[in-house]
Amino acid sequence: MMAQSIITFRIPDDEKELVVEYAKAHNLSLTKLYRTAVLEKIEEQIELELLNDAIILSKEKEEEGISQIDMEQLLEGVYI
């Protein structure tokens, strides 16, 4: 089993109530809800950075555009 750590943070009471109710409505623990939200945010940022890198590369090569297929292949190469 992977080592685990505890992270503590403070939120206003009204936000806590909203989060608790959301978690209950979706049958999630608060831990699972926060973990999922944070990891999704990180993944979105990484994908955005990859897209920006691809755009910069395209401009450096003085390309006028890149096809969706070429973009998907480029991004697949990064994930391998």
Side-chain angles (χ1 to χ4, degrees):
M1 187 165 129
M2 191 181 329
Q4 296 186 355
S5 299
I6 296 173
I7 297 175
T8 304
F9 57 93
R10 299 177 189 273
I11 62 172
D13 289 339
D14 59 334
E15 289 179 14
K16 178 186 175 199
E17 289 178 34
L18 177 65
V19 171
V20 168
E21 291 303 316
Y22 182 90
K24 283 181 187 177
H26 291 86
N27 198 29
L28 297 169
S29 69
L30 290 177
T31 298
K32 178 71 174 173
L33 176 61
Y34 279 108
R35 182 185 308 127
T36 301
V38 168
L39 293 177
E40 285 177 0
K41 184 68 174 175
I42 291 169
E43 288 174 5
E44 288 173 9
Q45 183 66 37
I46 290 169
E47 290 171 1
L48 180 59
E49 289 172 5
L50 290 173
L51 178 59
N52 285 334
D53 290 347
I55 291 170
I56 290 169
L57 181 61
S58 177
K59 287 181 180 178
E60 287 173 355
K61 291 184 174 184
E62 298 180 0
E63 297 174 347
E64 291 187 19
I66 186 168
S67 72
Q68 182 173 347
I69 292 171
D70 290 341
M71 179 64 77
E72 289 171 358
Q73 290 173 346
L74 177 64
L75 293 175
E76 284 176 13
V78 174
Y79 286 112
I80 295 175

